Structures are given as structure tokens and as C-alpha cells.
Amino acid sequence: MPIGQASLVTVPAEPGSVVVRVIAPGAARVELMGDLTGWEPRPLEQRGRGWELRLTTNPGAHHVVVRLDGGSWIVPANLTRLSDDLGGSVGLIVIP
């Protein structure tokens, strides 16, 4: 994956929570924002080659974007892209 792009996966944790993992080659800082975070930016912690954030959430469809190194908010490359209510785009994730 080229520098400046990201991919995102979710991994179920204990009931009611999920770990969000982002792979973003070359990034020194990664943040997540979406309905999972109340649309407040949340920093991820670097873990090996990726970045992680554990969140408490409900199952279902959720909208997210990520920001690399303080740049623009982007939709991770591997997610379905949807239009948001503000004329932008968000990524779709589904928590089982």
C-alpha cells in the first residue's frame, strides 16, 4: 500500500467492544473519527506495523474516516465509500 493510504479492519474483543486496526505505511500519527467516537478524533496507538484503538460499541453499521499525520480526513482504501450529509465521504464498517 502506498504511503498516504490506509486500510482498516475491526477485530471483536470482549462483548461490547472492538479493536480497530489501521495499516498506514509511513504514518507517524493516525487518528480515527466516526459515529463510533461521537465524531470526535481519537488517536490510535502504534502496535507493530499497524495502529490500534479499542472502542466500546454496538453491533451494526458504522461510518468512519481516518487522518494520517494531521492531514485531511480520508476513507480507508479497503472500505466501502458512502456520501455523508455534509457533501463528503465516509467509510462503512459493520461490527458483528
Side-chain angles (χ1 to χ4, degrees):
M1 175 175 304
I3 290 176
Q5 288 191 0
S7 65
L8 183 150
V9 296
T10 59
V11 180
E14 62 272 358
S17 71
V18 65
V19 174
V20 176
R21 289 191 180 136
V22 174
I23 302 299
R29 188 174 87 212
V30 177
E31 297 167 278
L32 174 83
M33 181 171 66
D35 56 17
L36 296 167
T37 68
W39 293 103
E40 293 293 323
R42 298 277 303 272
L44 281 72
E45 294 184 20
Q46 191 165 18
R47 300 267 191 251
R49 293 180 36 230
W51 299 81
E52 292 186 358
L53 176 65
R54 181 181 296 262
L55 295 167
T56 301
T57 189
N58 294 318
H62 297 280
H63 300 151
V64 297
V65 288
V66 297
R67 179 165 57 187
L68 310 178
D69 299 328
S72 299
W73 291 99
I74 62 170
V75 175
N78 65 318
L79 296 185
T80 299
R81 179 182 299 268
L82 303 173
S83 295
D84 67 12
D85 296 335
L86 303 173
S89 296
V90 294
L92 174 67
I93 59 172
V94 179
I95 307 294

